[in-house]
Amino acid sequence: MRVKEILRTATQAWSPAAQHPARLALGTAAQQLDASFNTSSALEIFEVDFADTSLDMKLRGTLFHSLIWVAFDPEGSSGRLIGGSESGSVTVFSPDAILGVGEDAVIGQSHKHTGPVRALDYNRFQSNLVASGASDSEIYIWDLNNFSNPMTPGTKAQPAEDVSVVAWNSQVQHILASANPSGKAIVWDLRKNEPIIKISDHSNRMHCSGMLWHPDVATQLVLASEDDRLPVIQMWDLRFATSPLKVLESHTRGILSISWSQADPELLLSSGKDNRILCWNPNTGEVIYELPTANQWCFDVQWCPRNPALLSAASFDGRISVYSVMGGRLQHSDPFGTGQTLPPLQVPQPSVETTIVPPLKKPPKWVRRPVGASFAFGGKLVTFENPSVAPQQQPIARQVQVSQVTTETEFLQRSAELQAALQSGSFTSFCHDKIRSAPSDAEQDIWRFLTVNFEDEARVKFLRLLGFSKDELQRKVSDQTTISACLGRSHHPNGLDVNDLAEKMQTLSDQVCVSCAVNHCMLVLLYLMLNRPIREQRTDTDGLISQALLVGNFEGAVDLCLNDGRYAEAILLSISGGEELLKKTQQHYLQRQTNSLISSVVTQNWRDIVQSCELDNWKEALAALLTYANPEEFAPLCDTLGSRLQAGGTEKRCLQACLCFICSGNIERLVECWTSQRDCSSPLALEDLVEKVMVLRKSIERLRNGEVCVQSSALTERLVQYSSILASQGSLTSALRYLPDCPDQVHTLIHIYICVPALPENYTPPAPITAPVMGFPAEAPVPQDRIQVPPGAPQEPSKQSLQQLPAEHVGQKEIPAEHMILKTTFSSLVQRCQLAAADPQTKRKLDDASKRLESLYDKLRDQALSPSILGGLHEISRCVSARNYQQGLEVHTQVVSSSNFSEISAFMPVLKVLMTIANKLAV
């Protein structure tokens, strides 16, 4: 894309890369007519100002003569401009003086050459050294510090010819090359002051118009031919100088100018008499870019040293154009400047131009990363670098390094401790360690409750943790001093001795026979009455009770006792009156009591107490459940109490609820409650949760003597997150162990076999999933009602008629003989597990596995499995036959990680579940 333009017919030179802003020096020859009909020679310096949105370039200075620019900076100046004239003079100018006003710009001048000076170049290692070439094989080496006395590289070449090009080597500072129009090139060694090699084209049609050294390879150079009969660019390697290494052929007429990008050796510009400006990749010989040009020859093209995306082109139509190869827009800031931000570039398009120029097909080297680092799966850090190469050395291959990066050291340590406890079964010691290191009392309580699940008499020990001890309570009850202190020796106003009544009730409770109990009740009441004075026809309460008893009216006697507040006597009498009277008396008594615990103990209604008790009394409620609730109701009642506590919303209530869920063994509710108050996004916080979940799960498996599969989306999400962190830290084997393995959790299986595989050394990424995940096509929906069809239309056969049709035998392929061992082994494993399985959940898994294995057998019949998968299946079969399920699971992981998941998704998850169950059942 054209970004700037100058109406001149002139030679050009860019300012050195270190100069900011970038400038372009133009030298016009005498008698060359320009747009203003001015025929004077001139040297002008223009500034490339992208803040100006027009195509014009600002003229910063002018001087009459012809020049090119040299990067020589003795005292912080803008370098030097070296010009060669038709008269043979070589003149040195100061760009700073040209840019200034009224200063003498000429620093030095020499007339050593006898003919026109057409070739100039400067040394990249010693910028004070300049080479010039003229007619009659004249080559001089100038020292800008002592310009008056040049030297020659050696004896003049014979026969004498004009020197059209001189070029310093880009890698070796004492090597200089010169070329003649006849196509001959000579390489000079300035240390020896003699030529060391000569190259020439054997076709004798090579008219050399340009020569350039390779920016990186010291022994390679290119020659451009101006001859229309041979419009080529030849690439030579001095180590094989008998013929060109490569010939670039796309121009149809002679080449006028070439320029090799110092920022990217894969970009070589050329302009020719066919009105084309081409950009080559000299390594491949491919034209990778072509600039739009007018119908005029471009006699000079040059890359900008400062901004490698820019190039300038001078044509015979009187235009100097600046182009960008980045596809039509420059960066808003100058990335090669001093850090000063430039205004946004707005390049106007002339109305006559409608061509849109695309960018380079391949990103140029200056926008590629010479070094880089990227994090990969499994906590791997992949790095590469661009090692510096000394001059005269061949470039060395860059190495890619893969390192393991671990950022969560404490997380990995705790995860390893948990994994060790899970494998060894030392859960009690693991819990004790957690109790000792717990940061708070609440954390200690949780781990104490988790520890109890691995001990005998768990309910009794839960009571102790809640602060209730049966032994301590029994000691207090049996201590008469304590009873006296609590109750005193108080008597009922009517003379009832409480302790005496308690002894008689104890005597009653020791009897087994109901009739004996009735007799004892009667004896107690008679004792009470006979030890009091009896008056005839007493009308007080005692008298009425006695008369009711004498006539056998127990119900009336009970009512009298209740009305008088004699609840103990009422209970004793109701026992004698039968079951219905006893229930009525209990109900009357409980209605007057404020202690709901007594009511619950008597009526065995624990749901009321957990639903209505004060939350501050949660310990008492949980203790009552631990003491009285039967095993079938215990877990739901604990969950109910825990739900009420969780609904409180505070962190304290949620921790109390967690204790209830631990008692009930409800892993799902424990996860929900814990995460509702704790942020588990960080690795260590997630580790806290996983430790509790895995320990509680193992305790439940111990109590149930079987595998526990928790159907919890919240837990699955946390375990997948936990496994991802493990995988990111390089612990891939552990990551696989924590992922859920329930067959119906398809999304989790995808994480298992795609997201966190254990990578072998020769790992190749799996192909994208294109088939259904589990390998089963969806069944078509069955219509509930038949669709009404027009009369006379063909009717679909009914279900009944289909059932009456004779069954047609459908042939099924046989499994190849070499693979029958797979079906025999896996089917036998399913049968062994079914015989040993005790819990319904495991049996359901085995039934499902038996059905899903049919997909494996179908693939074996169709021979649809790759040799690598078949080899892995046979290895798994051998491990199963040897009952080495752990090794079989390791082989299973290797097969999955190196295979196309769509091929194995229907049966490999089932094999893992099957071997896991077999390992636990030890079959």
Side-chain angles (χ1 to χ4, degrees):
M1 177 182 176
R2 182 183 298 156
V3 294
K4 290 293 178 182
E5 185 179 72
I6 306 173
L7 298 180
R8 296 286 191 280
T9 303
T11 58
Q12 58 180 337
W14 283 100
S15 61
Q19 298 300 319
H20 177 76
R23 296 188 175 97
L24 190 63
L26 304 180
T28 56
Q31 306 304 319
Q32 178 67 52
L33 188 67
D34 62 10
S36 62
F37 292 89
N38 185 0
T39 59
S40 302
S41 62
L43 169 65
E44 298 169 305
I45 298 179
F46 291 85
E47 181 179 312
V48 183
D49 183 10
F50 291 115
D52 182 4
T53 59
S54 67
L55 291 176
D56 298 333
M57 297 177 65
K58 296 180 180 179
L59 178 63
R60 293 302 188 186
T62 180
L63 185 69
F64 296 100
H65 220 292
S66 59
L67 292 176
I68 61 173
W69 208 310
V70 175
F72 177 65
D73 188 9
E75 298 177 356
S77 64
S78 299
R80 294 289 184 264
L81 289 169
I82 312 297
S85 68
E86 288 288 330
S87 62
S89 64
V90 177
T91 309
V92 182
F93 296 90
S94 169
D96 294 330
I98 297 175
L99 295 172
V101 179
E103 297 183 17
D104 187 5
V106 178
I107 296 178
Q109 189 175 45
S110 174
H111 300 277
K112 194 75 173 177
H113 285 291
T114 59
V117 180
R118 297 186 177 92
L120 287 171
D121 194 19
Y122 71 97
N123 191 298
R124 271 68 180 172
F125 299 92
Q126 292 179 269
S127 59
N128 60 304
L129 299 180
V130 177
S132 62
S135 59
D136 197 22
S137 298
E138 289 181 345
I139 300 176
Y140 288 120
I141 309 298
W142 307 84
D143 185 351
L144 296 182
N145 294 317
N146 185 14
F147 190 70
S148 61
N149 189 20
M151 61 171 287
T152 61
T155 306
K156 287 184 179 182
Q158 297 297 329
E161 286 187 86
D162 291 344
V163 178
S164 58
V165 185
V166 291
W168 291 94
N169 191 283
S170 300
Q171 300 294 321
V172 184
Q173 62 181 355
H174 59 270
I175 298 299
L176 176 72
S178 62
N180 309 115
S182 63
K184 297 178 182 179
I186 302 175
V187 179
W188 306 84
D189 186 341
L190 299 185
R191 294 181 305 181
K192 301 177 181 180
N193 285 341
E194 62 181 21
I196 56 175
I197 194 171
K198 298 180 181 180
I199 58 175
S200 62
D201 179 67
H202 300 294
S203 66
N204 294 323
R205 291 184 298 176
M206 186 80 174
H207 192 278
C208 185
S209 59
M211 177 182 64
L212 296 170
W213 285 99
H214 193 291
D216 293 337
V217 183
T219 60
Q220 293 183 2
L221 55 81
V222 294
L223 295 173
S225 173
E226 190 180 356
D227 197 323
D228 290 342
R229 299 171 300 171
L230 191 67
V232 298
I233 298 175
Q234 295 179 344
M235 189 171 183
W236 292 80
D237 194 316
L238 301 184
R239 295 169 295 183
F240 315 99
T242 55
S243 62
L245 184 66
K246 195 181 272 66
V247 178
L248 309 182
E249 301 176 294
S250 279
H251 282 286
T252 58
R253 297 188 64 184
I255 298 171
L256 298 174
S257 176
I258 56 176
S259 179
W260 210 330
S261 172
Q262 299 299 307
D264 188 350
E266 294 184 354
L267 299 178
L268 176 66
L269 283 175
S270 66
S271 63
K273 290 184 284 186
D274 54 2
N275 301 327
R276 300 176 69 191
I277 299 178
L278 305 180
C279 184
W280 308 77
N281 183 342
N283 296 329
T284 63
E286 176 189 8
V287 176
I288 58 177
Y289 192 72
E290 182 170 0
L291 280 84
T293 55
N295 296 325
Q296 290 289 336
W297 293 359
C298 176
F299 61 87
D300 189 17
V301 290
Q302 290 188 27
W303 289 103
C304 175
R306 178 172 183 80
N307 190 332
L310 297 181
L311 61 98
S312 60
S315 59
F316 284 116
D317 62 355
R319 293 176 183 271
I320 304 290
S321 301
V322 179
Y323 296 91
S324 170
V325 296
M326 300 305 289
R329 186 176 294 275
L330 294 174
Q331 297 292 335
H332 288 178
S333 60
D334 183 3
F336 309 96
T338 57
Q340 298 177 352
T341 303
L342 297 177
L345 174 61
Q346 298 178 0
V347 181
Q349 291 288 346
S351 59
V352 295
E353 295 185 5
T354 57
T355 304
I356 298 177
V357 182
L360 291 169
K361 297 179 182 179
K362 180 182 178 181
K365 184 178 180 180
W366 61 82
V367 298
R368 297 181 225 154
R369 293 181 294 178
V371 297
S374 178
F375 281 99
F377 176 77
K380 298 297 190 295
L381 177 64
V382 183
T383 59
F384 65 92
E385 58 183 0
N386 189 17
S388 58
V389 181
Q392 302 180 355
Q393 287 186 355
Q394 291 294 331
I396 61 177
R398 292 189 292 178
Q399 296 181 347
V400 176
Q401 299 179 349
V402 181
S403 307
Q404 180 65 53
V405 178
T406 301
T407 58
E408 301 293 341
T409 306
E410 183 180 355
F411 170 81
L412 287 179
Q413 180 182 356
R414 290 178 56 180
S415 178
E417 294 173 355
L418 174 60
Q419 187 61 34
L422 293 175
Q423 291 179 346
S424 63
S426 56
F427 301 108
T428 302
S429 60
F430 180 81
C431 292
H432 285 311
D433 292 339
K434 290 297 176 182
I435 293 173
R436 285 191 291 268
S437 61
S440 63
D441 294 339
E443 188 80 5
Q444 286 183 348
D445 290 340
I446 288 179
W447 282 109
R448 288 192 181 101
F449 270 66
L450 289 170
T451 307
V452 168
N453 280 330
F454 295 97
E455 300 175 355
D456 298 331
E457 298 183 355
R459 286 200 177 189
V460 175
K461 295 180 179 179
F462 277 135
L463 283 171
R464 291 178 182 172
L465 292 177
L466 291 172
F468 304 99
S469 173
K470 283 187 176 182
D471 296 337
E472 181 68 18
L473 184 60
Q474 182 66 28
R475 185 187 63 81
K476 291 181 178 180
V477 170
S478 60
D479 189 348
Q480 185 65 27
T481 305
T482 304
I483 295 177
S484 300
C486 295
L487 301 178
R489 300 291 296 183
S490 61
H491 293 77
H492 193 272
N494 57 15
L496 176 64
D497 191 331
V498 176
N499 291 330
D500 193 20
L501 178 60
E503 292 177 1
K504 292 177 172 56
M505 291 177 65
Q506 182 66 33
T507 303
L508 175 63
S509 65
D510 292 338
Q511 306 300 321
V512 179
C513 179
V514 177
S515 61
C516 293
V518 175
N519 293 332
H520 277 283
C521 288
M522 295 299 297
L523 290 174
V524 170
L525 292 173
L526 290 174
Y527 166 81
L528 293 173
M529 290 185 295
L530 293 175
N531 282 280
R532 297 170 185 162
I534 300 177
R535 295 188 301 271
E536 293 184 359
Q537 303 296 326
R538 290 181 56 183
T539 58
D540 59 354
T541 303
D542 289 339
L544 294 175
I545 292 175
S546 300
Q547 295 176 26
L549 288 177
L550 291 176
V551 298
N553 187 357
F554 291 100
E555 184 174 359
V558 168
D559 290 338
L560 290 171
C561 291
L562 291 175
N563 292 331
D564 198 32
R566 302 181 182 182
Y567 298 115
E569 297 174 13
I571 293 295
L572 290 174
L573 292 175
S574 66
I575 295 175
S576 301
E579 183 178 358
E580 184 178 353
L581 180 60
L582 177 61
K583 290 183 178 179
K584 179 181 177 181
T585 307
Q586 289 177 344
Q587 184 178 4
H588 186 277
Y589 172 77
L590 295 176
Q591 287 177 349
R592 298 193 177 187
Q593 295 296 317
T594 59
N595 191 338
S596 60
L597 180 59
I598 296 177
S599 175
S600 299
V601 172
V602 174
T603 61
Q604 300 294 307
N605 187 3
W606 298 109
R607 184 164 299 277
D608 288 343
I609 191 171
V610 297
Q611 290 179 343
S612 60
C613 70
E614 293 291 336
L615 292 182
D616 291 338
N617 297 330
W618 70 273
K619 286 187 177 182
E620 287 75 9
L622 182 57
L625 297 179
L626 290 167
T627 304
Y628 296 106
N630 58 53
E632 292 77 13
E633 297 179 340
F634 176 71
L637 291 172
C638 287
D639 290 342
T640 301
L641 180 60
S643 298
R644 290 191 60 205
L645 290 168
Q646 182 181 355
T650 63
E651 182 179 2
K652 178 180 179 181
R653 291 299 188 205
C654 285
L655 290 174
Q656 294 167 355
C658 288
L659 299 181
C660 296
F661 296 138
I662 291 174
C663 291
S664 67
N666 195 328
I667 298 176
E668 180 179 4
R669 295 301 306 276
L670 175 63
V671 173
E672 294 177 357
C673 185
W674 184 267
T675 56
S676 66
Q677 292 293 327
R678 301 290 179 94
D679 182 12
C680 295
S681 58
S682 67
L684 291 180
L686 190 59
E687 177 69 29
D688 287 337
L689 174 62
V690 173
E691 287 173 351
K692 296 173 178 63
V693 168
M694 298 308 294
V695 170
L696 180 58
R697 181 175 181 175
K698 288 299 180 181
S699 67
I700 299 173
E701 291 179 351
R702 171 180 174 271
L703 294 174
R704 298 180 183 178
N705 196 23
E707 183 184 5
V708 174
C709 184
V710 182
Q711 304 291 335
S712 170
S713 59
L715 178 59
T716 299
E717 180 184 355
R718 300 300 176 184
L719 289 179
V720 170
Q721 181 184 359
Y722 183 74
S723 299
S724 299
I725 298 176
L726 283 173
S728 69
Q729 299 297 308
S731 185
L732 300 180
T733 304
S734 297
L736 284 172
R737 292 192 176 103
Y738 288 102
L739 285 171
D741 54 5
C742 296
D744 55 344
Q745 292 176 336
V746 177
H747 65 285
T748 303
L749 292 175
I750 295 176
H751 279 285
I752 295 175
Y753 295 110
I754 295 181
C755 296
V756 286
L759 301 180
E761 293 295 329
N762 57 348
Y763 171 74
T764 55
I769 297 176
T770 57
V773 174
M774 299 308 295
F776 297 110
E779 297 182 357
V782 179
Q784 299 296 327
D785 300 320
R786 290 181 54 84
I787 301 176
Q788 298 295 327
V789 295
Q795 297 289 327
E796 294 183 358
S798 64
K799 181 177 180 181
Q800 182 178 4
S801 62
L802 288 175
Q803 292 175 346
Q804 294 174 353
L805 292 176
E808 180 181 357
H809 176 71
V810 179
Q812 190 178 42
K813 296 180 181 179
E814 294 290 336
I815 297 178
E818 64 270 21
H819 302 320
M820 276 298 298
I821 185 64
L822 297 178
K823 181 177 181 181
T824 303
T825 302
F826 297 147
S827 299
S828 175
L829 180 61
V830 173
Q831 294 176 0
R832 294 202 307 269
C833 292
Q834 287 176 335
L835 293 174
D839 58 297
Q841 188 176 22
T842 303
K843 290 183 178 181
R844 288 194 299 269
K845 288 184 181 181
L846 293 172
D847 292 339
D848 181 74
S850 180
K851 296 176 183 177
R852 293 180 183 271
L853 283 176
E854 290 297 329
S855 62
L856 169 61
Y857 305 148
D858 290 339
K859 287 184 177 290
L860 293 175
R861 294 185 183 96
D862 297 336
Q863 298 184 7
L865 297 177
S866 63
S868 60
I869 296 176
L870 288 173
L873 290 173
H874 279 280
E875 183 63 27
I876 293 174
S877 175
R878 285 189 287 269
C879 295
V880 169
S881 299
R883 288 175 168 75
N884 190 350
Y885 302 114
Q886 191 64 36
Q887 184 178 356
L889 289 171
E890 295 176 359
V891 177
H892 179 279
T893 301
Q894 294 177 1
V895 173
V896 170
S897 63
S898 59
S899 304
N900 188 338
F901 187 74
S902 61
E903 292 186 60
I904 61 177
S905 59
F907 56 86
M908 287 303 280
V910 179
L911 284 179
K912 180 182 179 183
V913 173
L914 187 57
M915 287 188 289
T916 303
I917 293 176
N919 189 36
K920 291 182 179 181
L921 297 178
V923 296

Short mmCIF file of all heavy atoms in Angstrom, two decimals, residues 192 412 476 750 812 833:
data_model
loop_
_atom_site.label_atom_id
_atom_site.label_comp_id
_atom_site.label_asym_id
_atom_site.label_seq_id
_atom_site.Cartn_x
_atom_site.Cartn_y
_atom_site.Cartn_z
N LYS A 192 44.35 -9.33 3.17
CA LYS A 192 45.43 -9.72 2.26
C LYS A 192 45.57 -8.77 1.07
O LYS A 192 46.53 -8.87 0.31
CB LYS A 192 45.16 -11.13 1.73
CG LYS A 192 45.06 -12.19 2.81
CD LYS A 192 44.73 -13.55 2.21
CE LYS A 192 44.60 -14.62 3.27
NZ LYS A 192 44.27 -15.95 2.69
N LEU A 412 0.05 -29.72 46.72
CA LEU A 412 0.53 -31.04 46.29
C LEU A 412 0.94 -31.89 47.48
O LEU A 412 0.70 -33.11 47.50
CB LEU A 412 1.70 -30.87 45.33
CG LEU A 412 1.35 -30.37 43.92
CD1 LEU A 412 2.62 -30.22 43.09
CD2 LEU A 412 0.38 -31.30 43.24
N LYS A 476 -24.13 -39.71 88.49
CA LYS A 476 -24.84 -38.64 89.17
C LYS A 476 -26.20 -39.11 89.69
O LYS A 476 -26.63 -38.73 90.79
CB LYS A 476 -25.02 -37.45 88.22
CG LYS A 476 -23.72 -36.75 87.87
CD LYS A 476 -23.98 -35.57 86.95
CE LYS A 476 -22.68 -34.83 86.64
NZ LYS A 476 -22.91 -33.69 85.72
N ILE A 750 -15.91 -37.70 29.97
CA ILE A 750 -15.21 -36.94 28.96
C ILE A 750 -14.02 -36.23 29.58
O ILE A 750 -12.93 -36.18 29.02
CB ILE A 750 -16.17 -35.93 28.30
CG1 ILE A 750 -17.25 -36.70 27.53
CG2 ILE A 750 -15.42 -35.00 27.36
CD1 ILE A 750 -18.30 -35.80 26.92
N GLN A 812 -25.57 -62.95 12.21
CA GLN A 812 -24.64 -62.08 12.92
C GLN A 812 -23.23 -62.58 12.70
O GLN A 812 -22.98 -63.79 12.76
CB GLN A 812 -24.96 -62.06 14.42
CG GLN A 812 -24.20 -61.00 15.19
CD GLN A 812 -24.59 -61.00 16.65
OE1 GLN A 812 -24.74 -62.06 17.25
NE2 GLN A 812 -24.77 -59.83 17.23
N CYS A 833 -18.09 -60.89 39.31
CA CYS A 833 -18.48 -59.72 40.11
C CYS A 833 -19.95 -59.79 40.51
O CYS A 833 -20.32 -59.42 41.64
CB CYS A 833 -18.22 -58.44 39.32
SG CYS A 833 -16.47 -58.06 39.04
#
